[in-house]
Amino acid sequence: MPIDILVAIIAVSIIQSIFGVGTLLFGTPILLLLGYEFVDALGILLPVSIAISTLQLLKHHEEIDKVFYKNVLIYSVPLVVVFLAIIASVKIHIGIAIGMLLIVVALKSFLPSIERALTSIMKYERIYLVTLGVIHGMSNLGGSLLTAIIYAKNYSKDKTRVTGAASYATLALCQLITLLAMNTEFNLPYVERASLVQIAVVIFLLTEELLYNQIANEKYNKLFTIFLFISGLALIVKSL
């Protein structure tokens, strides 16, 4: 198993174990920066994301915002499938687009105009979720938008995490089914991908006990912003 993939999976599994999102949002640019193709990154990250989200869902399923989750199913999932199928078929190079998206999301913490624009968009939840579906299908980075709208609802900590996990798991499952239906071939063998899922489950169990109740959302938001900005710049430079 490539050591760079193993290290990346451990890192993003810790993030997703705490916040309910992160494996795809952080893992996608990391693997692209490491030189892996977009579809191969999906083949590695999707099963890991589904496994962690399912465990979180089982623990706090009664806390899910069912109305919001239903809207994700209706307005985001179909577009995720359509645009993923397009990207996987035509092999569009999207490194620069993903990098720009990461930077925009990061800058919203520093530029009031971007923050106001995103806040205004969130008022139109259906349109927002349609946009999320398009972006997630094309880039695997809809988690940034998903996190933003869920946090804006001021849920409790458990409700925030499980609503994000349920939505994220559903998107990831639909992506994986789409790729399998298209007979997509992945470079990393099945046995190694299965081993990564097992490792992610262990990481979740450890993180749940040792970190989840210790890290405040405010600290995460700062780290989140810095990581997105640096990753975005690095990915743009690599793609030029």
Side-chain angles (χ1 to χ4, degrees):
M1 179 185 300
I3 188 64
D4 54 354
I5 293 180
L6 177 60
V7 172
I9 290 300
I10 291 174
V12 298
S13 294
I14 292 173
I15 295 173
Q16 177 141 346
S17 296
I18 297 171
F19 300 106
V21 295
T23 296
L24 304 183
L25 176 60
F26 291 102
T28 302
I30 288 174
L31 293 184
L32 290 177
L33 284 169
L34 291 173
Y36 294 95
E37 295 294 328
F38 181 63
V39 170
D40 286 320
L42 289 180
I44 295 168
L45 297 170
L46 289 174
V48 169
S49 178
I50 293 169
I52 295 175
S53 294
T54 300
L55 292 173
Q56 293 169 327
L57 182 57
L58 291 174
K59 185 168 185 178
H60 296 294
H61 62 88
E62 70 282 353
E63 295 279 352
I64 297 173
D65 182 340
K66 295 180 178 61
V67 174
F68 177 79
Y69 178 70
K70 180 180 178 181
N71 285 338
V72 170
L73 288 177
I74 295 172
Y75 299 107
S76 298
V77 168
L79 290 167
V80 168
V81 172
V82 170
F83 280 89
L84 174 58
I86 293 173
I87 290 293
S89 298
V90 299
K91 305 292 184 183
I92 298 175
H93 185 65
I94 58 172
I96 293 178
I98 295 176
M100 293 177 65
L101 175 62
L102 289 172
I103 290 175
V104 168
V105 174
L107 288 178
K108 75 182 180 67
S109 299
F110 301 98
L111 298 178
S113 58
I114 295 179
E115 182 71 31
R116 288 194 298 269
L118 290 176
T119 300
S120 298
I121 293 173
M122 289 178 198
K123 294 179 181 178
Y124 304 95
E125 186 169 290
R126 295 178 181 179
I127 297 176
Y128 188 94
L129 292 176
V130 166
T131 304
L132 187 158
V134 173
I135 291 175
H136 198 67
M138 293 183 65
S139 67
N140 216 25
L141 299 175
S144 60
L145 299 179
L146 180 62
T147 301
I149 192 170
I150 289 177
Y151 279 5
K153 293 179 177 293
N154 296 315
Y155 294 147
S156 65
K157 187 176 182 180
D158 289 340
K159 190 169 186 176
T160 295
R161 188 174 74 157
V162 76
T163 300
S167 303
Y168 223 39
T170 302
L171 295 176
L173 182 60
C174 291
Q175 288 175 284
L176 187 58
I177 291 173
T178 299
L179 292 175
L180 293 176
M182 296 174 65
N183 295 317
T184 304
E185 295 184 2
F186 304 109
N187 288 326
L188 194 68
Y190 171 80
V191 173
E192 294 189 12
R193 285 183 280 132
S195 296
L196 289 172
V197 172
Q198 294 173 340
I199 292 170
V201 169
V202 173
I203 294 296
F204 167 77
L205 295 175
L206 292 174
T207 303
E208 184 77 5
E209 293 295 326
L210 301 176
L211 294 177
Y212 178 59
N213 293 322
Q214 307 300 322
I215 299 178
N217 287 335
E218 292 79 8
K219 184 176 181 180
Y220 165 74
N221 288 336
K222 293 179 181 178
L223 296 174
F224 177 90
T225 298
I226 294 170
F227 184 90
L228 284 182
F229 190 82
I230 294 175
S231 295
L233 282 178
L235 191 53
I236 289 174
V237 171
K238 181 179 183 297
S239 300
L240 293 176

